[in-house]
Amino acid sequence: MPLFARVGLSRLACNPFVSRKVLRRDTSSRALLRSKLLLTGAALLGGFVTNADAQQSSVQPLPAAVESAKQIESDPLNDVLDHGASLEVKRQWNEAIRHYEKAFRDFPNSRQVYQRLIICRLHADVNRRYRDRSFVGSVHHMTAAQALDLYSEILANLETHYVEHVDWSRIFLHGTAALEIALTEQRYLDDVLPNADLEKVHQFQQSVHRRISTRPTNGRHDLRAAVAAVAELARTEIGLSPTAVVLEYVSGAVSTLDPYTRLLSGDQLDDMFSNIEGNFVGLGVELRPSTDALEILSVIPNGPAEEAGLKAGDRIVRVEQADTRTGKPEIAADLLRGPENSFVSITIASADGHERDLRVARRRVEVPCVENVHLCDPVNGVGYLRLTNFQKTTPRDVEQAIWTLQQQGMRSLIMDLRGNPGGLLSAAVDIADRFLSQGRIVTTRGRNSRENFDYVAHRSKTLSFPLAVLIDGDSASASEIFAGAVSDSGRGVIVGQRSYGKGSVQGIFRMQSAKFGLCLTTAKFYSPSGTAISQRGVYPDVIVDSKYIAARPNDDGKITSDIEDEVLQQAIGQLSGQNPLISQRTR
């Protein structure tokens, strides 16, 4: 997600439900499957798991990995764990992550759900990293000493800037788990151990945690020495590159702290700052992976995709040699990346099923953050704009859109933040300041006092027309800052579904020892009333569930009209006086 730049540091304010079916008496095979997976998780995490919410840094004993069949059958998480286990057995890591993330929203105190989520993230992360050309290049070109310097630099940043107290033993534990999991993934083995004795690799993977469990882990200098020792063991016993070992410890230490802290490869770091500026190199499409295709949600005006005739609702079913119908769509998505002015071969399936092959250029594309600006109710002067993210250009683009609507006779405004994952904290504050005449907008609090800010409305002239804000379960972070400020101040009506609940701020740090970046959670944010957004989200005043968003494709690839968007219609009714406001906010 995009960010907020401050003295070389960027700050990011930026990703459900689980059906509770009637419990059934289970056969022992299902219980056994879950037991095996839990046992694997306990071994990989050394028998510990964290409370993933407010006490992320505390380490708690894991419940017994293998429970009795009777206990498992009566567990209210029965269906959740069953489905998760089936996804893990199929090695569908991304699907499993989404499943466990949704489950954790309903069962926030379940250590089992959180443990499986951590394990699946580690599996998905190693596969993602080894599809990243810049990361793989680092593995093969960095020396072990350079990798260890990067590890030390990462740890120093955690010690200084991370929002919670850093538990060094946990950092080391999760680094070891990342290495152990990497040694079970074929993509990792093919790249760093193509001719290895798999039996020796398995023996090393099974024993490494036990063999290093007595090493001191009282600080980052202890951790560097311990990781160097593991790297040497791996080199002498299975021929594994020390650099490949150390980078797993780097990745594992970072990726298991919280859902938003992550290591950025060189290419990812460049992409991150491109997003801040509102431009990137690509085809100029917004995509959503489905089970067998990459669905095109929107096409950026004047980009190469528009010039090639691509439209919202089309589906990309092949990228180069990767067919999404027989492989994984996320692999095809990775192949869309490439250098500026290069070309990519794709196959497009339109909504009517017709397929065509295209060769499309990759170019630098200016990304608009405001779209579909129009009067959705001309009679009552209700204007509409959809805000897709918060980037550097957002305040300027919103002002331009509002000016255009006012010229057309707008008397009230609907701002659609559905699906908006967030972005620049400063942009969210700036937009809110245009609507709020006084009062607090958002408060941030971190372990480092330099992260503590109170953002207060201060503009002398603000926009006074009636306002409605649309949110859903994918409205996150900076979107929640804006919606929370509007809600707490009573400035407008919030319509839709409860927002995602991502109440933390990330800083982006460039590493000096190598071309890597660190996206690090540095603070948590709170709405003007002091409400923590994390794990809670922003609740709408009027709850409406609509599957489709105006001007976006539906499941059949057809563009949704304003009339078909139930959330939009409810908001129009609120602003035009057709529907009285019924507060359904649940505290």
Side-chain angles (χ1 to χ4, degrees):
M1 301 177 190
L3 328 169
F4 156 61
R6 176 170 57 83
V7 195
L9 167 67
S10 298
R11 302 182 81 211
L12 267 141
C14 337
N15 135 59
F17 71 94
V18 175
S19 175
R20 291 184 174 90
K21 300 177 182 177
V22 177
L23 295 178
R24 304 180 298 275
R25 297 304 289 176
D26 221 343
T27 62
S28 60
S29 61
R30 285 174 29 163
L32 180 61
L33 173 60
R34 283 207 305 276
S35 296
K36 287 181 177 179
L37 286 170
L38 287 169
L39 182 60
T40 300
L44 289 169
L45 293 182
F48 293 93
V49 72
T50 63
N51 178 337
D53 191 10
Q55 301 179 28
Q56 291 176 339
S57 62
S58 63
V59 179
Q60 303 178 6
L62 189 69
V66 183
E67 304 179 76
S68 70
K70 181 177 180 180
Q71 287 175 315
I72 290 178
E73 288 165 8
S74 62
D75 191 337
L77 299 178
N78 187 58
D79 289 331
V80 170
L81 295 174
D82 279 345
H83 184 56
S86 68
L87 293 172
E88 291 189 57
V89 167
K90 297 173 186 175
R91 306 185 79 80
Q92 295 177 343
W93 306 119
N94 291 322
E95 292 85 348
I97 289 170
R98 287 191 288 269
H99 168 72
Y100 287 127
E101 284 178 340
K102 291 179 181 179
F104 197 65
R105 287 171 66 89
D106 269 11
F107 304 99
N109 296 319
S110 171
R111 299 183 201 168
Q112 293 179 0
V113 170
Y114 183 65
Q115 182 197 42
R116 300 320 310 167
L117 177 57
I118 289 288
I119 294 296
C120 292
R121 280 179 183 158
L122 288 172
H123 277 286
D125 279 350
V126 70
N127 283 287
R128 174 186 52 78
R129 289 194 303 274
Y130 278 82
R131 288 197 302 267
D132 183 328
R133 286 170 289 188
S134 64
F135 181 88
V136 172
S138 297
V139 172
H140 292 290
H141 295 108
M142 287 176 66
T143 66
Q146 289 172 325
L148 285 167
D149 287 345
L150 174 64
Y151 186 56
S152 294
E153 189 177 2
I154 293 285
L155 297 182
N157 277 281
L158 298 187
E159 186 175 47
T160 304
H161 299 289
Y162 189 58
V163 65
E164 302 284 356
H165 171 74
V166 177
D167 186 313
W168 297 115
S169 62
R170 177 189 174 215
I171 295 293
F172 184 61
L173 191 71
H174 284 192
T176 305
L179 175 62
E180 291 174 325
I181 283 176
L183 290 169
T184 70
E185 287 294 339
Q186 195 61 47
R187 186 179 296 275
Y188 180 81
L189 295 174
D190 287 346
D191 190 272
V192 298
L193 284 172
N195 302 310
D197 182 327
L198 295 183
E199 182 58 34
K200 287 185 178 180
V201 171
H202 179 69
Q203 291 174 359
F204 179 85
Q205 184 258 349
Q206 291 289 303
S207 65
V208 62
H209 173 73
R210 172 180 52 79
R211 294 166 64 187
I212 61 175
S213 61
T214 59
R215 292 197 65 95
T217 55
N218 298 319
R220 52 192 175 90
H221 300 296
D222 284 346
L223 264 61
R224 177 180 172 125
V227 169
V230 176
E232 181 59 21
L233 280 176
R235 185 190 67 80
T236 57
E237 295 185 11
I238 59 175
L240 181 57
S241 157
T243 299
V245 172
V246 176
L247 289 181
E248 287 309 305
Y249 271 90
V250 171
S251 303
V254 169
S255 63
T256 56
L257 286 171
D258 62 67
Y260 313 108
T261 292
R262 62 193 185 277
L263 181 71
L264 302 173
S265 68
D267 284 352
Q268 290 173 325
L269 186 63
D270 291 341
D271 287 347
M272 185 70 77
F273 282 103
S274 291
N275 286 334
I276 297 172
E277 299 296 333
N279 64 75
F280 68 95
V281 173
L283 306 189
V285 291
E286 181 184 355
L287 299 173
R288 177 178 62 196
S290 65
T291 55
D292 63 349
L294 296 170
E295 299 176 0
I296 298 178
L297 297 181
S298 65
V299 178
I300 295 174
N302 304 316
E306 184 184 65
E307 293 173 2
L310 276 65
K311 298 179 180 178
D314 287 345
R315 299 159 69 246
I316 301 176
V317 296
R318 179 191 61 84
V319 182
E320 300 296 349
Q321 289 77 40
D323 192 315
T324 62
R325 294 159 295 191
T326 58
K328 296 182 177 181
E330 58 265 24
I331 295 176
D334 288 337
L335 294 175
L336 289 173
R337 296 165 52 101
E340 189 171 4
N341 298 320
S342 61
F343 287 81
V344 61
S345 173
I346 61 176
T347 298
I348 297 297
S350 58
D352 61 9
H354 174 70
E355 293 188 3
R356 62 193 189 277
D357 294 330
L358 298 171
R359 192 166 176 264
V360 185
R362 299 180 179 99
R363 291 207 313 265
R364 187 157 297 278
V365 179
E366 297 297 323
V367 185
C369 60
V370 177
E371 64 181 31
N372 197 21
V373 180
H374 69 290
L375 289 180
C376 56
D377 180 3
V379 174
N380 293 290
V382 181
Y384 172 94
L385 65 86
R386 175 173 164 79
L387 192 54
T388 60
N389 63 85
F390 290 84
Q391 60 194 34
K392 274 189 175 181
T393 62
T394 299
R396 179 199 68 197
D397 294 346
V398 168
E399 281 196 346
Q400 178 62 45
I402 289 174
W403 184 86
T404 299
L405 289 169
Q406 287 177 319
Q407 296 301 111
Q408 297 172 5
M410 180 187 73
R411 299 191 296 276
S412 60
L413 175 66
I414 296 172
M415 291 185 65
D416 193 346
L417 302 184
R418 288 174 293 175
N420 185 322
L424 285 173
L425 183 150
S426 61
V429 169
D430 201 342
I431 297 298
D433 200 11
R434 282 160 165 73
F435 289 92
L436 303 178
S437 58
Q438 61 182 356
R440 183 175 292 139
I441 295 173
V442 67
T443 298
T444 64
R445 292 291 182 265
R447 184 167 58 91
N448 188 324
S449 61
R450 287 176 292 179
E451 298 298 331
N452 297 341
F453 292 91
D454 292 303
Y455 297 92
V456 179
H458 64 278
R459 282 178 176 265
S460 56
K461 295 182 180 180
T462 58
L463 301 169
S464 59
F465 47 72
L467 176 68
V469 179
L470 312 186
I471 60 173
D472 64 8
D474 293 322
S475 304
S477 205
S479 295
E480 294 172 295
I481 288 174
F482 179 78
V486 171
S487 176
D488 283 5
S489 66
R491 173 62 180 82
V493 58
I494 312 297
V495 183
Q497 290 289 303
R498 181 178 63 141
S499 65
Y500 183 84
K502 190 245 172 216
S504 59
V505 179
Q506 281 66 50
I508 304 301
F509 300 83
R510 289 184 183 271
M511 299 296 100
Q512 302 301 312
S513 51
K515 191 178 179 183
F516 278 88
L518 177 60
C519 179
L520 182 65
T521 298
T522 58
K524 295 180 180 180
F525 66 76
Y526 303 84
S527 72
S529 65
T531 302
I533 300 297
S534 183
Q535 297 288 322
R536 181 187 182 279
V538 175
Y539 284 81
D541 299 302
V542 181
I543 299 174
V544 187
D545 187 13
S546 177
K547 190 175 182 181
Y548 303 121
I549 296 175
R552 292 288 176 117
N554 62 22
D555 289 343
D556 297 324
K558 297 180 180 178
I559 301 302
T560 303
S561 68
D562 285 359
I563 297 296
E564 295 169 320
D565 186 336
E566 297 175 20
V567 178
L568 173 58
Q569 290 304 308
Q570 178 62 239
I572 291 173
Q574 293 290 333
L575 293 179
S576 62
Q578 300 169 22
N579 301 322
L581 173 62
I582 302 175
S583 178
Q584 302 183 40
R585 184 178 297 146
T586 303
R587 291 295 181 188

